[in-house]
Amino acid sequence: MNTTPAHKIDPILLEMYWRRLVSIVGELGSTLRRTSFSTVVRDIGDYGCAVFDARARLLAQTPDSTPGLCGPLGSMLRAFLVAHPPATLVEGDVLIGNDPWAGSGHHNDVSIMLPIFHRARLIGFVITCCHHVDIGGRRATTESRDNYEEGLRIPMLKFYRAGEVNADVMAFIQANVRSSETVVGDLGAQVSACHVGSERMRELCSELGTADLQGLADEIVARSEEVTRAEIRKLRKGTFRHEALVDIVGGDTLTIRTAVTVEDDRIVVDFSGSSPQVAPAINCTLTYTSAYTVFGVLCMLDLPVAVNEGTLAPIQVVAEEGSVLNCRFPAPVFGRTAIGNFLPDLVYQAIAPAAPERVCAGAGATPMWGQYMFGKRSDGENFAPFNVASGGLGARAAKDGVSCLAFPYNVGNTPAEVIESEVPVIVEERSLWEDSAGPGKYRGGLGQRYVLKMLEGDLGPVGDVLASFRGGRFIHPPEGVLGGGHAPRGFLSIRGESQDAGRQVVLRAGDRIVSHIPGGGGYGDPRERSREAVARDLRDGLITLDHARTHYGWEPAAGS
């Protein structure tokens, strides 16, 4: 391998091999999705994959997966290595675990890790994490009273020993989950993906002609950290604050206080003073809080390099132990998206006066909207999907927001054809919700009207369907930024009765579920929006004449 006199990798070779690492995690993700058994992985994309060097430093992660699952992979790997030190690992070992305080914040997200050996030398690690359709315990709900009610807690165990499956661990999982065929199938997909990643890393090591990957890793991490710190130096220095009210299940409201401190070449995001942990299962572990906060900061920085250990080094996240953003065990955590998804928005609201060109307004897609439904089809097959529908993104400094796109959790809207094939429902309506975008010089993206109806008769479910709903913004709407207007509040009704999210509900044939998922907040003074843009939105049916008059001071031109 060509090197400079300082023993650094030739820049052209470095770029080639760096891109190879990114392509390796892309192949990891593709393998996982194509071999998975569940729609939540295959169609929604609720997973994360990453590769690390032998020092447990992140080298690359899947860019198209969920930040809440990708972000904690490093802390999960370190927890694996505390329980099973590298010296105790052998080729063919595969580890499994789902500790919310080490990983992505709730039990359904199960991590699989494989150590990579090349010529009997440990050269790195590959790890995957997937949201599984069931993990035992209470069905998906924020009504769990503690962590023990939320399903199977898998300590850091060897799932495979020297290439042989640990039958005891497999049997214990199968005996404690519903939909065991799907769960075990997805675990197998994770193992397969890890083997693909391991093989590609060995091939890379052989091409480099080195005993390990440390030289390449050192270059990637050092250069990335340098780029990240340089970008932070461009920001205005100081501490910037924001206080937000977030409604939760039952109509209660929490306070999230955000202080973003920009120092010379580092950023500290401090949530001290936020509400304490609560009884409903919406609490966040610090690993989950950090994942979404760091993701928000990295989006703001818009770095020219992919995420790795170097890009993470200059960013610190602080939250008081015992708060809703750093809860103590055994706090219930299943529905942590109800809080954690807000964190990038709150970082942007805080720092907007100092970096107006780098932020966007509040997202109506936050928190995640979706439905868990558990029941039996008329053909006798059980179903247990997670169905996702997204609201609109907030407006940006020079563009309107994007409509019906997941942010910050980065999963897909479940296709109507997929949910209708899995569950005895029909999607009666999926349409842009007019007037749902917050007004501004640049308006937010639009949200959506989403209506599901349980089928009746021979096509309907056998017996009752147990359902749990995610969503939010029922009291406090998505915020505008820098003079932009709020978007409307969210709305959910079941059988014609208004509901909030989080509780378990029994559905029956003929029941209708109506969701109005908000759009994003606006950016800048609405009266500065161009007349052509307002006219276009009116022509396209995205806003009503009353909305245009009220928020944009619109009056049709004479003779029009």
Side-chain angles (χ1 to χ4, degrees):
M1 181 177 63
N2 294 329
T3 61
T4 68
H7 304 290
K8 293 185 178 181
I9 300 174
D10 176 88
I12 295 175
L13 286 177
L14 174 63
E15 183 69 15
M16 290 171 54
Y17 288 125
W18 197 338
R19 288 177 181 269
R20 277 282 296 283
L21 284 170
V22 175
S23 72
I24 286 170
V25 292
E27 187 177 359
L28 259 171
S30 296
T31 301
L32 180 54
R33 294 187 79 154
R34 290 175 180 175
T35 58
S36 69
F37 280 45
S38 69
T39 59
V40 74
V41 176
R42 184 179 65 244
D43 298 298
I44 298 176
D46 201 355
Y47 71 93
C49 308
V51 291
F52 294 79
D53 71 1
R55 292 168 54 190
R57 296 181 300 177
L58 175 66
L59 298 183
Q61 65 182 34
T62 38
D64 58 349
S65 53
T66 313
L69 274 68
C70 265
L73 290 177
S75 58
M76 193 69 185
L77 173 59
R78 289 186 286 274
F80 276 130
L81 297 179
V82 169
H84 300 272
T88 68
L89 299 174
V90 300
E91 191 161 1
D93 282 351
V94 178
L95 275 61
I96 186 171
N98 71 344
D99 180 0
W101 277 262
S104 65
H106 73 178
H107 294 144
N108 290 71
D109 296 340
V110 179
S111 294
I112 296 284
M113 186 275 278
L114 187 150
I116 307 168
F117 289 88
H118 179 63
R119 297 174 183 168
R121 183 187 183 101
L122 181 65
I123 64 168
F125 305 92
V126 58
I127 184 169
T128 65
C129 182
C130 287
H131 179 100
H132 286 262
V133 295
D134 190 84
I135 200 66
R138 297 189 69 168
R139 293 286 196 180
T141 177
T142 61
E143 296 171 302
S144 302
R145 289 164 293 187
D146 63 31
N147 195 246
Y148 293 102
E149 291 189 6
E150 296 187 313
L152 184 61
R153 300 175 63 240
I154 306 173
M156 309 301 173
L157 300 174
K158 286 194 175 181
F159 194 35
Y160 283 70
R161 288 194 176 104
E164 297 295 326
V165 67
N166 186 336
D168 293 338
V169 172
M170 179 70 81
F172 203 87
I173 292 171
Q174 287 178 303
N176 281 277
V177 300
R178 311 166 188 95
S179 306
S180 61
E181 181 179 341
T182 301
V183 171
V184 171
D186 279 359
L187 290 174
Q190 289 182 253
V191 173
S192 297
C194 284
H195 279 294
V196 168
S198 176
E199 183 62 28
R200 297 295 177 266
M201 294 288 278
R202 284 195 294 270
E203 291 172 358
L204 179 59
C205 202
S206 294
E207 287 185 30
L208 282 167
T210 55
D212 56 35
L213 296 170
Q214 291 312 116
L216 176 62
D218 290 344
E219 281 288 291
I220 289 172
V221 172
R223 288 173 182 260
S224 298
E225 183 171 347
E226 182 180 340
V227 166
T228 306
R229 292 190 186 278
E231 193 65 27
I232 293 172
R233 290 190 191 100
K234 298 176 184 179
L235 301 176
R236 191 172 117 201
K237 306 303 180 282
T239 298
F240 311 97
R241 303 180 187 277
H242 181 69
E243 182 174 307
L245 300 177
V246 177
D247 51 275
I248 64 172
V249 60
D252 293 332
T253 293
L254 301 182
T255 300
I256 306 297
R257 294 187 173 92
T258 308
V260 180
T261 299
V262 181
E263 299 176 356
D264 176 51
D265 62 355
R266 65 192 293 262
I267 291 176
V268 179
V269 183
D270 191 341
F271 295 106
S272 297
S274 297
S275 293
Q277 64 190 58
V278 292
I282 59 168
N283 299 290
C284 298
T285 61
L286 185 58
T287 51
Y288 189 76
T289 292
S290 296
Y292 273 110
T293 304
V294 170
F295 174 74
V297 172
L298 290 175
C299 288
M300 178 186 72
L301 294 177
D302 192 23
L303 300 171
V305 295
V307 177
N308 62 73
E309 200 74 24
T311 63
L312 304 179
I315 306 168
Q316 180 184 1
V317 179
V318 178
E320 295 167 317
E321 187 177 4
S323 72
V324 73
L325 295 176
N326 185 8
C327 61
R328 293 189 183 96
F329 179 82
V333 294
F334 172 77
R336 80 272 195 252
T337 57
I339 301 298
N341 285 174
F342 282 91
L343 300 179
D345 277 0
L346 305 187
V347 169
Y348 301 153
Q349 291 287 343
I351 206 168
E357 75 286 357
R358 292 176 179 263
V359 303
C360 55
T366 301
M368 179 189 294
W369 281 67
Q371 308 89 32
Y372 292 92
M373 291 176 281
F374 308 95
K376 181 174 289 188
R377 301 197 304 245
S378 58
D379 62 4
E381 291 293 320
N382 294 323
F383 57 84
F386 180 40
N387 181 41
V388 176
S390 296
L393 268 65
R396 298 156 286 176
K399 290 184 179 180
D400 292 343
V402 182
S403 298
C404 303
L405 185 69
F407 180 83
Y409 42 91
N410 200 30
V411 300
N413 289 279
T414 308
E417 298 83 359
V418 170
I419 194 63
E420 289 177 344
S421 68
E422 293 280 325
V423 181
V425 297
I426 186 170
V427 179
E428 288 193 330
E429 180 180 0
R430 179 169 237 167
S431 64
L432 293 176
W433 176 14
E434 67 180 8
D435 294 343
S436 64
K441 180 178 181 179
Y442 299 100
R443 62 160 174 77
L446 274 77
Q448 62 177 297
R449 294 190 184 95
Y450 188 52
V451 182
L452 288 172
K453 182 181 178 182
M454 300 299 302
L455 295 176
E456 301 176 271
D458 293 342
L459 298 177
V462 176
D464 294 340
V465 174
L466 184 63
S468 178
F469 298 86
R470 289 197 194 182
R473 307 280 198 180
F474 300 112
I475 300 173
H476 304 288
E479 296 180 272
V481 69
L482 299 173
H486 294 351
R489 298 178 182 87
F491 172 80
L492 171 66
S493 73
I494 303 167
R495 293 185 289 271
E497 297 181 4
S498 179
Q499 303 278 342
D500 64 4
R503 297 187 178 89
Q504 288 185 334
V505 178
V506 173
L507 300 176
R508 299 181 176 88
D511 284 352
R512 183 175 281 105
I513 304 123
V514 177
S515 301
H516 291 178
I517 307 169
Y523 185 109
D525 186 346
R527 300 298 172 123
E528 296 180 10
R529 185 167 178 79
S530 73
R531 186 176 181 86
E532 292 78 11
V534 177
R536 183 177 62 248
D537 286 349
L538 279 166
R539 183 175 62 250
D540 292 344
L542 304 182
I543 61 174
T544 61
L545 183 59
D546 183 63
H547 182 92
R549 285 172 169 161
T550 300
H551 296 288
Y552 297 110
W554 173 267
E555 289 298 336
S560 63

